[in-house]
Amino acid sequence: MAFLTGDIVPLNRTEHGYAAIEGLAATMVQPYLIRLDGPVDVTAVRRVMRELVTAYPKLRAKLEPGWHRYHLRILPDDDIVDQLFDWAFRIDTQVDLGDPAQVEAWQRQLINEVLPLERGLGLRVRFAPHPQQPALLFGVPHILADGMTMVQLVRQILRGLNGQSLEPMPLEAPAMIGSIAPHRWWQWPRQLLKARRHKVAEARRLATLHIQQVPTRLGLHYSTTGLRLYEATTGTAELRALARQAGVSLNTLLIAALTQTFLEQAPDDPQAAAVIRISVNLRRFYPPEAGHGPLWGNHVGAFLVIEQDAHKPWPERLRSVDACIREGQARYERREMCWTYLWDELVPWLGRTLIGHIGVQLKRKQRFPVISCHATSLGDANAVNEPGASVRAAQLFGVVNSISPLPVLTEMNGRLFVPTAWQLSETSHAEMSDFLQRFDRTLARLVSEARPPGATLRQRAPHGGAA
C-alpha cells in the first residue's frame, strides 16, 4: 500500500476502479470545452496550460505499480514534462467554430482519445483560434480529477488568461472511508445495519421494476463514446421560475423532467420505472477535525432516484423527486451509506488484474447495474468567471466517458445545455438525439402548462449538434 510522500500519491477506491477498467471501457477522459468571449493569443494559452501542469501536480502523474496495488507517481517538473506537454498541446485551425456539428465532432475526438496513464501527463489540449470566440478544449482522465476538480481547473485557466497567477492545488489523498464512517467507533454496527437494510430493500424493489432506458443493445464489447452537445429550447429563467414556484431547486426540476421523459416511454406499464443515479460531492462529509483542504482529486458518491407512474401529477412528481433527493443526501449526513462503501474500500486489495477481470465478466454476462441514466450537474457555470475579468468563458461544455448514458446539466447565460455521453455500441446517435428532444419537449410543456392562459412561450430553435 502506498502512502502520500513527496512524489507518491495513493489511489482511493474510486481511482483503483478507473485504473482497472481502463482497458475495458478505454480511458475515462473528461473533455471540457471553453468558448471564450474574445480573442486570445496562442502563446498565452500555451503558457497558461503549461503553468496548470505545475499548479496541479496530478496532471504530471503517471500510474505506477507497487508491490500489489497501483499508485500515482508525480513526475519532476522538468524537461521530460516539457516534452510530454509539447506532444499534448495542439493548435487546431481546421475546426469551423461556427458549425455546431464540427464543434461536437471535435470534442468527441478527445473524449475517445486513449491516454497512456503509465507514461505520465494526464492532459490533452486543443486550441482553436477565432477572432471573436476562440475555443479551448482540454481533457483530463477521471482518475486524476472529478467534476469539482475540473471546474477548479477551468477557473485556474481563466485566471491565467486574465494575467493572474495560478493558485497551487495541493496534493491530498485520504481514504474515502472518512466520508462515510460513523462519527463514533461504537456506532458502526447500528449504521451498518441501517445501511444494509436500505440497500436490500432497494435491490428488492429494483428487481420488480421495468427500468426505462434509451434503446440499448448490450454486447460483449464496447466501441466508442457518443456525444451530443444539446441545448434546450427553453431558457433557464423560465425553468427557474417554475422551480421557484414549486419550492424546489432547478436541478430537482430537471431531474424530475428526466424521470417523466423516461416514464412516458411506457405510460401503461405499472411496473415501469425511471432510475437515475445522482452524483454527490463527498467533501463536506469528511469530519472537520481531519483537517483536510480542498481535496482535489476524486471524492464522489452516488444514490438512486427511483420514480414510477407516468400519470403522476406534476406537483406530486416534483415533491416525490425532491423528497428522494433530500433523503439520498440525508443518508450521507446520517452516515447510513457505509454498507456498500465499506466493501468498496476492500476491493482495491484484489488488485488491478482481478478487478479488471470482474469488470470484463460483468460486461460479457451483461450484469452491470441497470439504470436509466447517470445525471450530474455543473450548476450555474457562470461561476467560473471572476468579477471584472476581461477574458471570460461564454460557454462551458463538460462531459466524461461513461458506461451508462450521462447527461451533464449545465446552466450558462440563461441557457440550459445538456452535453451527453454514452456508449455508441449500445445506442445510436439518432436514438440519443430523439431522447434529448423528448426531454426538451417535456421541459417546454411543463413551462407552457404553468403559464397563465393567453401567455406565449418564447423558445430558441432546437440545437442538437450534428443531429
Side-chain angles (χ1 to χ4, degrees):
M1 178 178 181
F3 294 93
L4 180 60
T5 67
D7 62 345
I8 293 180
V9 182
L11 304 177
N12 63 30
R13 55 176 171 79
T14 298
E15 293 158 352
H16 271 283
Y18 287 128
I21 68 169
E22 196 265 345
L24 172 66
T27 310
M28 290 290 174
V29 177
Q30 301 171 96
Y32 272 50
L33 174 60
I34 311 170
R35 292 299 299 270
L36 301 168
D37 65 356
V40 178
D41 183 69
V42 172
T43 304
V45 174
R46 181 185 176 88
R47 172 183 54 78
V48 169
M49 296 308 296
R50 180 60 182 88
E51 290 175 356
L52 190 69
V53 174
T54 299
Y56 186 45
K58 277 191 177 181
L59 288 180
R60 58 180 192 273
K62 68 174 183 175
L63 187 66
E64 183 178 78
W67 286 108
H68 179 60
R69 292 165 47 129
Y70 274 70
H71 56 259
L72 297 175
R73 183 178 293 275
I74 309 299
L75 296 177
D77 199 5
D78 57 14
D79 59 322
I80 290 180
V81 171
D82 288 337
Q83 294 166 10
L84 293 171
F85 182 82
D86 288 342
W87 180 258
F89 186 91
R90 182 186 304 165
I91 305 298
D92 285 342
T93 58
Q94 79 284 2
V95 182
D96 181 357
L97 296 179
D99 183 346
Q102 287 198 36
V103 173
E104 184 178 272
W106 189 45
Q107 190 167 6
R108 188 166 61 241
Q109 284 182 341
L110 189 52
I111 202 173
N112 283 295
E113 183 145 340
V114 176
L115 279 69
L117 297 178
E118 297 184 32
R119 188 168 66 176
L121 199 69
L123 177 70
R124 291 292 182 269
V125 185
R126 310 287 182 259
F127 180 66
H130 190 271
Q132 284 84 39
Q133 282 197 336
L136 175 64
L137 177 61
F138 75 104
V140 177
H142 210 318
I143 194 173
L144 304 178
D146 59 12
M148 184 173 179
T149 306
M150 290 295 293
V151 170
Q152 174 65 8
L153 292 175
V154 172
R155 290 194 184 104
Q156 294 289 332
I157 292 168
L158 291 171
R159 282 179 59 89
L161 293 178
N162 279 282
Q164 299 173 279
S165 300
L166 274 60
E167 301 165 334
M169 297 175 66
L171 289 172
E172 298 174 272
M176 293 175 73
I177 194 171
S179 63
I180 55 96
H183 297 297
R184 301 288 184 270
W185 66 266
W186 45 265
Q187 295 174 330
W188 270 106
R190 182 183 64 186
Q191 299 305 91
L192 279 171
L193 182 60
K194 288 182 178 180
R196 184 179 183 279
R197 283 174 177 168
H198 166 75
K199 199 64 181 178
V200 169
E202 183 179 78
R204 285 175 177 168
R205 182 184 179 189
L206 290 172
T208 67
L209 300 178
H210 301 156
I211 299 174
Q212 298 301 300
Q213 299 179 292
V214 294
T216 302
R217 292 168 291 279
L218 297 177
L220 301 181
H221 313 284
Y222 292 116
S223 60
T224 60
T225 296
L227 177 66
R228 275 287 177 265
L229 301 182
Y230 198 87
E231 178 183 353
T233 56
T234 306
T236 55
E238 292 168 305
L239 294 170
R240 191 177 298 281
L242 181 61
R244 190 180 300 115
Q245 177 184 333
V248 300
S249 68
L250 175 59
N251 189 62
T252 294
L253 182 142
L254 296 175
I255 297 300
L258 277 173
T259 66
Q260 186 66 33
T261 305
F262 278 112
L263 288 170
E264 288 176 357
Q265 296 177 173
D268 300 320
D269 182 357
Q271 297 305 110
V275 179
I276 299 182
R277 182 180 293 126
I278 306 293
S279 296
V280 178
N281 180 8
L282 296 180
R283 290 167 176 81
R284 64 191 182 93
F285 300 112
Y286 287 91
E289 57 270 20
H292 299 313
L295 290 174
W296 307 124
N298 283 280
H299 301 276
V300 180
F303 62 87
L304 298 181
V305 168
I306 305 173
E307 277 291 300
Q308 293 181 258
D309 187 3
H311 304 289
K312 184 182 292 186
W314 178 245
E316 186 178 341
R317 172 80 68 213
L318 277 177
R319 288 193 295 270
S320 176
V321 171
D322 187 52
C324 191
I325 291 176
R326 290 179 182 274
E327 173 59 19
Q329 294 170 339
R331 285 200 300 274
Y332 284 94
E333 293 277 7
R334 299 193 302 260
R335 324 304 271 189
E336 293 176 6
M337 296 294 285
C338 50
W339 175 258
T340 300
Y341 288 144
L342 185 61
W343 292 112
D344 287 348
E345 289 289 338
L346 301 178
V347 169
W349 292 102
L350 298 177
R352 187 184 185 188
T353 300
L354 183 52
I355 298 171
H357 173 72
I358 292 171
V360 169
Q361 293 304 308
L362 287 174
K363 175 59 178 169
R364 293 185 66 84
K365 297 177 181 179
Q366 301 180 0
R367 296 290 298 276
F368 276 117
V370 178
I371 61 173
S372 302
C373 71
H374 182 168
T376 187
S377 173
L378 289 185
D380 186 351
N382 288 296
V384 300
N385 292 312
E386 294 190 1
S390 58
V391 179
R392 301 174 64 84
Q395 291 180 356
L396 177 63
F397 299 115
V399 288
V400 61
N401 195 332
S402 175
I403 290 176
S404 301
L406 194 152
V408 183
L409 306 167
T410 307
E411 175 188 2
M412 198 161 199
N413 298 322
R415 302 155 73 182
L416 175 66
F417 300 97
V418 194
T420 302
W422 74 96
Q423 291 298 322
L424 199 54
S425 60
E426 298 178 349
T427 304
S428 71
H429 285 99
E431 289 165 333
M432 184 57 72
S433 294
D434 175 71
F435 174 79
L436 291 170
Q437 290 163 6
R438 288 190 289 113
F439 172 58
D440 194 3
R441 291 195 294 270
T442 299
L443 294 174
R445 184 183 74 240
L446 295 172
V447 170
S448 179
E449 291 173 352
R451 284 176 167 271
T456 60
L457 174 63
R458 294 181 59 192
Q459 291 187 321
R460 295 182 178 86
H463 163 54

